[in-house]
Amino acid sequence: MPMTLPPLPYASDALEPFIDSQTMQIHHGKHHQAYVTNANKALEGTKWADVPAEDLIRRLAELPEDKRTAVRNNAGGHVNHSMFWQIMAPAGKGGGGEPSGALADAIRKSWGEFSHFKEEFQKAGMGRFGSGWAWLCVAPDNSVQICSTANQDNPTMGKDIAGGCGGRPILGVDVWEHAYYLKYKNLRADYLAAWWNVVNWGKVAELYKG
Ligand code: MN
């Protein structure tokens, strides 16, 4: 089955005032939709058309060379945004607060205080020049690490292609201007600081368990 745009798991205004409704509508309905449309168009009529997007981006090197860039950008965009909607929730209704359980332990092991983790994560988002993502990833030994990738790259594409840490992402923040410019203008730092209010730690913990 070709890729399809997953519905938002909440109303477009549910993340207000931290992420505005218009940004959500355009981000989901136009940007994410375009990644889906263009990924499907690139693979139409090939044996790759029905391969899940998560597998496509892990197997980029196996794709015909003339499809690789389109799949990297667009299937990558589809995978990244599908996760992004899931790991957010309305503030106070699943969004915000702090992680608990095994995930909290793993974060403490890597960074000590939760506030230190947040600082390092924001630094990764601020340090990404131009467009891309900051990620919290799980390594094979279940430790967690922070990395960043450009454009619509995803750590599961592998270090040699995407840079990053090569881990399995469980949290990601979109630092493309389209994710924040309408409300925050050029102030990416303000967007990143506000974004913690809508992080769905329950979902992130689920992803950590794998
Ligand atoms: Mn985006």
PDB file of all heavy atoms in Angstrom, residues 33-54:
ATOM      1  N   GLN A  33       1.790  16.271   3.968  1.00  0.00           N
ATOM      2  CA  GLN A  33       1.103  15.693   2.799  1.00  0.00           C
ATOM      3  C   GLN A  33       2.018  15.685   1.576  1.00  0.00           C
ATOM      4  O   GLN A  33       2.027  14.719   0.807  1.00  0.00           O
ATOM      5  CB  GLN A  33      -0.181  16.477   2.497  1.00  0.00           C
ATOM      6  CG  GLN A  33      -0.943  15.966   1.268  1.00  0.00           C
ATOM      7  CD  GLN A  33      -1.493  14.558   1.455  1.00  0.00           C
ATOM      8  OE1 GLN A  33      -2.363  14.326   2.284  1.00  0.00           O
ATOM      9  NE2 GLN A  33      -0.979  13.590   0.690  1.00  0.00           N
ATOM     10  N   ALA A  34       2.785  16.745   1.399  1.00  0.00           N
ATOM     11  CA  ALA A  34       3.674  16.818   0.227  1.00  0.00           C
ATOM     12  C   ALA A  34       4.751  15.727   0.286  1.00  0.00           C
ATOM     13  O   ALA A  34       5.102  15.138  -0.745  1.00  0.00           O
ATOM     14  CB  ALA A  34       4.324  18.195   0.142  1.00  0.00           C
ATOM     15  N   TYR A  35       5.273  15.444   1.489  1.00  0.00           N
ATOM     16  CA  TYR A  35       6.272  14.365   1.607  1.00  0.00           C
ATOM     17  C   TYR A  35       5.648  13.027   1.183  1.00  0.00           C
ATOM     18  O   TYR A  35       6.266  12.240   0.468  1.00  0.00           O
ATOM     19  CB  TYR A  35       6.810  14.264   3.045  1.00  0.00           C
ATOM     20  CG  TYR A  35       7.526  15.499   3.525  1.00  0.00           C
ATOM     21  CD1 TYR A  35       7.170  16.125   4.722  1.00  0.00           C
ATOM     22  CD2 TYR A  35       8.568  16.064   2.791  1.00  0.00           C
ATOM     23  CE1 TYR A  35       7.815  17.270   5.171  1.00  0.00           C
ATOM     24  CE2 TYR A  35       9.220  17.199   3.231  1.00  0.00           C
ATOM     25  CZ  TYR A  35       8.841  17.806   4.419  1.00  0.00           C
ATOM     26  OH  TYR A  35       9.485  18.944   4.857  1.00  0.00           O
ATOM     27  N   VAL A  36       4.422  12.791   1.636  1.00  0.00           N
ATOM     28  CA  VAL A  36       3.723  11.539   1.297  1.00  0.00           C
ATOM     29  C   VAL A  36       3.492  11.447  -0.207  1.00  0.00           C
ATOM     30  O   VAL A  36       3.816  10.429  -0.845  1.00  0.00           O
ATOM     31  CB  VAL A  36       2.376  11.469   2.065  1.00  0.00           C
ATOM     32  CG1 VAL A  36       1.507  10.325   1.545  1.00  0.00           C
ATOM     33  CG2 VAL A  36       2.620  11.326   3.568  1.00  0.00           C
ATOM     34  N   THR A  37       2.960  12.507  -0.775  1.00  0.00           N
ATOM     35  CA  THR A  37       2.660  12.530  -2.215  1.00  0.00           C
ATOM     36  C   THR A  37       3.928  12.308  -3.036  1.00  0.00           C
ATOM     37  O   THR A  37       3.943  11.492  -3.967  1.00  0.00           O
ATOM     38  CB  THR A  37       2.033  13.890  -2.597  1.00  0.00           C
ATOM     39  OG1 THR A  37       0.857  14.081  -1.808  1.00  0.00           O
ATOM     40  CG2 THR A  37       1.682  13.952  -4.077  1.00  0.00           C
ATOM     41  N   ASN A  38       4.989  12.993  -2.675  1.00  0.00           N
ATOM     42  CA  ASN A  38       6.208  12.926  -3.475  1.00  0.00           C
ATOM     43  C   ASN A  38       6.941  11.601  -3.292  1.00  0.00           C
ATOM     44  O   ASN A  38       7.572  11.103  -4.231  1.00  0.00           O
ATOM     45  CB  ASN A  38       7.122  14.113  -3.142  1.00  0.00           C
ATOM     46  CG  ASN A  38       6.525  15.417  -3.644  1.00  0.00           C
ATOM     47  OD1 ASN A  38       5.818  15.445  -4.646  1.00  0.00           O
ATOM     48  ND2 ASN A  38       6.775  16.511  -2.939  1.00  0.00           N
ATOM     49  N   ALA A  39       6.862  11.016  -2.103  1.00  0.00           N
ATOM     50  CA  ALA A  39       7.464   9.696  -1.903  1.00  0.00           C
ATOM     51  C   ALA A  39       6.724   8.662  -2.750  1.00  0.00           C
ATOM     52  O   ALA A  39       7.348   7.834  -3.427  1.00  0.00           O
ATOM     53  CB  ALA A  39       7.419   9.314  -0.419  1.00  0.00           C
ATOM     54  N   ASN A  40       5.403   8.724  -2.720  1.00  0.00           N
ATOM     55  CA  ASN A  40       4.622   7.768  -3.522  1.00  0.00           C
ATOM     56  C   ASN A  40       4.897   7.939  -5.013  1.00  0.00           C
ATOM     57  O   ASN A  40       5.036   6.952  -5.751  1.00  0.00           O
ATOM     58  CB  ASN A  40       3.123   7.944  -3.244  1.00  0.00           C
ATOM     59  CG  ASN A  40       2.733   7.402  -1.875  1.00  0.00           C
ATOM     60  OD1 ASN A  40       3.396   6.508  -1.351  1.00  0.00           O
ATOM     61  ND2 ASN A  40       1.673   7.938  -1.304  1.00  0.00           N
ATOM     62  N   LYS A  41       4.985   9.187  -5.445  1.00  0.00           N
ATOM     63  CA  LYS A  41       5.232   9.470  -6.861  1.00  0.00           C
ATOM     64  C   LYS A  41       6.585   8.897  -7.291  1.00  0.00           C
ATOM     65  O   LYS A  41       6.712   8.310  -8.360  1.00  0.00           O
ATOM     66  CB  LYS A  41       5.215  10.991  -7.074  1.00  0.00           C
ATOM     67  CG  LYS A  41       4.893  11.413  -8.502  1.00  0.00           C
ATOM     68  CD  LYS A  41       4.945  12.933  -8.668  1.00  0.00           C
ATOM     69  CE  LYS A  41       3.766  13.644  -7.990  1.00  0.00           C
ATOM     70  NZ  LYS A  41       3.967  15.125  -7.997  1.00  0.00           N
ATOM     71  N   ALA A  42       7.583   9.019  -6.423  1.00  0.00           N
ATOM     72  CA  ALA A  42       8.922   8.546  -6.769  1.00  0.00           C
ATOM     73  C   ALA A  42       8.951   7.024  -6.934  1.00  0.00           C
ATOM     74  O   ALA A  42       9.722   6.503  -7.739  1.00  0.00           O
ATOM     75  CB  ALA A  42       9.924   8.977  -5.694  1.00  0.00           C
ATOM     76  N   LEU A  43       8.111   6.322  -6.163  1.00  0.00           N
ATOM     77  CA  LEU A  43       8.194   4.856  -6.143  1.00  0.00           C
ATOM     78  C   LEU A  43       7.101   4.170  -6.951  1.00  0.00           C
ATOM     79  O   LEU A  43       7.101   2.943  -7.086  1.00  0.00           O
ATOM     80  CB  LEU A  43       8.146   4.365  -4.685  1.00  0.00           C
ATOM     81  CG  LEU A  43       9.329   4.831  -3.835  1.00  0.00           C
ATOM     82  CD1 LEU A  43       9.135   4.437  -2.383  1.00  0.00           C
ATOM     83  CD2 LEU A  43      10.630   4.255  -4.381  1.00  0.00           C
ATOM     84  N   GLU A  44       6.177   4.955  -7.492  1.00  0.00           N
ATOM     85  CA  GLU A  44       5.057   4.412  -8.264  1.00  0.00           C
ATOM     86  C   GLU A  44       5.565   3.460  -9.353  1.00  0.00           C
ATOM     87  O   GLU A  44       6.486   3.799 -10.102  1.00  0.00           O
ATOM     88  CB  GLU A  44       4.294   5.582  -8.905  1.00  0.00           C
ATOM     89  CG  GLU A  44       2.889   5.231  -9.307  1.00  0.00           C
ATOM     90  CD  GLU A  44       2.131   6.437  -9.882  1.00  0.00           C
ATOM     91  OE1 GLU A  44       2.730   7.526 -10.021  1.00  0.00           O
ATOM     92  OE2 GLU A  44       0.951   6.245 -10.182  1.00  0.00           O
ATOM     93  N   GLY A  45       4.964   2.274  -9.396  1.00  0.00           N
ATOM     94  CA  GLY A  45       5.314   1.328 -10.457  1.00  0.00           C
ATOM     95  C   GLY A  45       6.612   0.571 -10.231  1.00  0.00           C
ATOM     96  O   GLY A  45       7.012  -0.224 -11.072  1.00  0.00           O
ATOM     97  N   THR A  46       7.265   0.798  -9.088  1.00  0.00           N
ATOM     98  CA  THR A  46       8.486   0.051  -8.786  1.00  0.00           C
ATOM     99  C   THR A  46       8.172  -1.001  -7.713  1.00  0.00           C
ATOM    100  O   THR A  46       7.131  -0.934  -7.049  1.00  0.00           O
ATOM    101  CB  THR A  46       9.610   0.962  -8.256  1.00  0.00           C
ATOM    102  OG1 THR A  46       9.304   1.328  -6.901  1.00  0.00           O
ATOM    103  CG2 THR A  46       9.747   2.231  -9.102  1.00  0.00           C
ATOM    104  N   LYS A  47       9.098  -1.932  -7.525  1.00  0.00           N
ATOM    105  CA  LYS A  47       8.878  -2.974  -6.512  1.00  0.00           C
ATOM    106  C   LYS A  47       8.951  -2.410  -5.084  1.00  0.00           C
ATOM    107  O   LYS A  47       8.678  -3.109  -4.114  1.00  0.00           O
ATOM    108  CB  LYS A  47       9.893  -4.104  -6.686  1.00  0.00           C
ATOM    109  CG  LYS A  47      11.326  -3.663  -6.400  1.00  0.00           C
ATOM    110  CD  LYS A  47      12.263  -4.865  -6.316  1.00  0.00           C
ATOM    111  CE  LYS A  47      13.669  -4.404  -5.967  1.00  0.00           C
ATOM    112  NZ  LYS A  47      14.608  -5.469  -5.692  1.00  0.00           N
ATOM    113  N   TRP A  48       9.322  -1.138  -4.969  1.00  0.00           N
ATOM    114  CA  TRP A  48       9.458  -0.514  -3.659  1.00  0.00           C
ATOM    115  C   TRP A  48       8.184   0.192  -3.213  1.00  0.00           C
ATOM    116  O   TRP A  48       8.116   0.694  -2.081  1.00  0.00           O
ATOM    117  CB  TRP A  48      10.603   0.499  -3.684  1.00  0.00           C
ATOM    118  CG  TRP A  48      11.929  -0.122  -3.975  1.00  0.00           C
ATOM    119  CD1 TRP A  48      12.511  -0.282  -5.197  1.00  0.00           C
ATOM    120  CD2 TRP A  48      12.832  -0.694  -3.013  1.00  0.00           C
ATOM    121  NE1 TRP A  48      13.725  -0.919  -5.066  1.00  0.00           N
ATOM    122  CE2 TRP A  48      13.944  -1.174  -3.741  1.00  0.00           C
ATOM    123  CE3 TRP A  48      12.810  -0.840  -1.626  1.00  0.00           C
ATOM    124  CZ2 TRP A  48      15.026  -1.794  -3.116  1.00  0.00           C
ATOM    125  CZ3 TRP A  48      13.884  -1.448  -0.998  1.00  0.00           C
ATOM    126  CH2 TRP A  48      14.963  -1.926  -1.746  1.00  0.00           C
ATOM    127  N   ALA A  49       7.182   0.245  -4.101  1.00  0.00           N
ATOM    128  CA  ALA A  49       5.989   1.076  -3.851  1.00  0.00           C
ATOM    129  C   ALA A  49       5.247   0.682  -2.570  1.00  0.00           C
ATOM    130  O   ALA A  49       4.622   1.530  -1.943  1.00  0.00           O
ATOM    131  CB  ALA A  49       5.061   1.018  -5.058  1.00  0.00           C
ATOM    132  N   ASP A  50       5.302  -0.602  -2.199  1.00  0.00           N
ATOM    133  CA  ASP A  50       4.544  -1.065  -1.034  1.00  0.00           C
ATOM    134  C   ASP A  50       5.406  -1.287   0.207  1.00  0.00           C
ATOM    135  O   ASP A  50       4.933  -1.796   1.218  1.00  0.00           O
ATOM    136  CB  ASP A  50       3.804  -2.368  -1.371  1.00  0.00           C
ATOM    137  CG  ASP A  50       2.734  -2.142  -2.424  1.00  0.00           C
ATOM    138  OD1 ASP A  50       2.133  -1.039  -2.412  1.00  0.00           O
ATOM    139  OD2 ASP A  50       2.511  -3.044  -3.259  1.00  0.00           O
ATOM    140  N   VAL A  51       6.667  -0.940   0.117  1.00  0.00           N
ATOM    141  CA  VAL A  51       7.564  -1.144   1.265  1.00  0.00           C
ATOM    142  C   VAL A  51       7.311  -0.040   2.294  1.00  0.00           C
ATOM    143  O   VAL A  51       7.228   1.137   1.939  1.00  0.00           O
ATOM    144  CB  VAL A  51       9.044  -1.129   0.803  1.00  0.00           C
ATOM    145  CG1 VAL A  51       9.982  -1.234   1.993  1.00  0.00           C
ATOM    146  CG2 VAL A  51       9.292  -2.258  -0.196  1.00  0.00           C
ATOM    147  N   PRO A  52       7.137  -0.399   3.571  1.00  0.00           N
ATOM    148  CA  PRO A  52       6.888   0.627   4.598  1.00  0.00           C
ATOM    149  C   PRO A  52       8.003   1.674   4.624  1.00  0.00           C
ATOM    150  O   PRO A  52       9.178   1.351   4.413  1.00  0.00           O
ATOM    151  CB  PRO A  52       6.867  -0.171   5.909  1.00  0.00           C
ATOM    152  CG  PRO A  52       6.572  -1.584   5.513  1.00  0.00           C
ATOM    153  CD  PRO A  52       7.150  -1.758   4.130  1.00  0.00           C
ATOM    154  N   ALA A  53       7.613   2.916   4.897  1.00  0.00           N
ATOM    155  CA  ALA A  53       8.559   4.032   4.849  1.00  0.00           C
ATOM    156  C   ALA A  53       9.741   3.816   5.791  1.00  0.00           C
ATOM    157  O   ALA A  53      10.887   4.162   5.465  1.00  0.00           O
ATOM    158  CB  ALA A  53       7.837   5.334   5.193  1.00  0.00           C
ATOM    159  N   GLU A  54       9.488   3.225   6.968  1.00  0.00           N
ATOM    160  CA  GLU A  54      10.561   2.992   7.942  1.00  0.00           C
ATOM    161  C   GLU A  54      11.624   2.064   7.362  1.00  0.00           C
ATOM    162  O   GLU A  54      12.804   2.209   7.652  1.00  0.00           O
ATOM    163  CB  GLU A  54      10.017   2.365   9.240  1.00  0.00           C
ATOM    164  CG  GLU A  54       9.127   3.262  10.071  1.00  0.00           C
ATOM    165  CD  GLU A  54       7.707   3.393   9.528  1.00  0.00           C
ATOM    166  OE1 GLU A  54       7.354   2.655   8.559  1.00  0.00           O
ATOM    167  OE2 GLU A  54       6.954   4.237  10.042  1.00  0.00           O
TER     168      GLU A  54
END
